[in-house]
Amino acid sequence: MKQPRAWQRMLSGRRLDLLDPTPFDIEVEDIAHGLAFVARWNGQTIGDYAYSVAEHSLLVEDIYGQMNPNAPTKWRLAALLHDAPEYVIGDMISPVKAAVGPGYGALDDRLMAAIHIRYGLPAQVPVAVKKQIKKADKISAWLEATQIAGFTRAEADKFFGKPDPKHAESCKIRLRPPVEARNDYTARHAELLSQM
């Protein structure tokens, strides 16, 4: 029986093997493009544009930096890249990830390791850093839930935890064309790499 295809052709011309991804097949332009067209919340948000994973990633990196102003640049880059595998596997909401099971996590881990190595990060981010990035991710999810996804503050508090009031008041969700999110993601990635 013929093996099913487990690779994807990227716009850069790279052929990314999902079962055995290598750092050589990772390009930030592919990541930024894919993430700019992947909708958070399965597209169930208000506005004329979907809220993209690229936009979310920019917000998470910003929140992480606010929470950790003295963090090394490499961990800010890790925050920007925290959802990078979704450029090929999409953004599955947590209930779908739970239904899919551990195979999703293994695929995500393989892609993340290749992405990290490609950009000079360790394959595995230290647990303490990962927890801080996750905290920024939950703050972003709370903001998205209450500003564009129809959640009440009480619902968001229950699912994502109460954010620091300074984030709840100062961070605003931006809905804009994918090309703008893509360009800003690529630019921020280049800026962080230049500081490492």
Side-chain angles (χ1 to χ4, degrees):
M1 190 166 126
K2 187 177 176 183
Q3 287 288 89
R5 179 173 64 92
W7 57 268
Q8 179 172 342
R9 177 75 59 203
M10 310 310 293
L11 288 178
S12 65
R14 302 278 188 193
R15 189 173 108 162
L16 181 65
D17 184 339
L18 298 175
L19 299 178
D20 187 23
T22 71
F24 300 109
D25 294 323
I26 308 293
E27 295 293 340
V28 72
E29 292 81 6
D30 292 332
I31 294 171
H33 183 82
L35 294 183
F37 285 92
V38 173
R40 297 256 307 154
W41 305 94
N42 282 347
Q44 297 301 305
T45 54
I46 61 168
D48 293 331
Y49 296 102
Y51 186 69
S52 73
V53 176
E55 199 74 68
H56 162 78
S57 298
L58 288 161
L59 181 59
V60 169
E61 188 265 327
D62 182 50
I63 293 169
Y64 175 82
Q66 290 176 37
M67 291 172 19
N68 303 279
N70 298 317
T73 303
K74 67 182 178 179
W75 302 141
R76 290 196 70 155
L77 179 61
L80 180 69
L81 295 169
H82 81 282
D83 278 340
E86 294 178 8
Y87 84 110
V88 288
I89 60 178
D91 180 34
M92 285 193 211
I93 59 174
S94 296
V96 175
K97 288 179 187 176
V100 170
Y104 177 88
L107 175 59
D108 187 79
D109 290 345
R110 282 193 303 271
L111 285 165
M112 186 61 84
I115 292 165
H116 279 179
I117 292 167
R118 170 68 171 90
Y119 295 110
L121 298 171
Q124 299 289 324
V125 172
V127 173
V129 173
K130 196 168 187 172
K131 283 182 180 178
Q132 285 297 302
I133 293 171
K134 188 63 181 170
K135 186 175 179 181
D137 191 32
K138 285 190 168 218
I139 292 169
S140 179
W142 187 94
L143 294 165
E144 295 162 26
T146 58
Q147 291 181 30
I148 60 170
F151 284 58
T152 65
R153 285 180 171 241
E155 288 173 322
D157 290 349
K158 178 181 173 185
F159 293 113
F160 309 110
K162 273 188 179 174
D164 183 319
K166 74 178 178 186
H167 296 299
E169 300 306 321
S170 68
C171 295
K172 298 295 177 212
I173 300 303
R174 298 166 57 184
L175 298 172
R176 55 194 180 139
V179 67
E180 292 179 20
R182 179 187 68 202
N183 292 344
D184 282 357
Y185 187 98
T186 305
R188 184 62 180 147
H189 182 269
E191 183 180 5
L192 290 169
L193 274 184
S194 75
Q195 294 171 12
M196 286 176 54

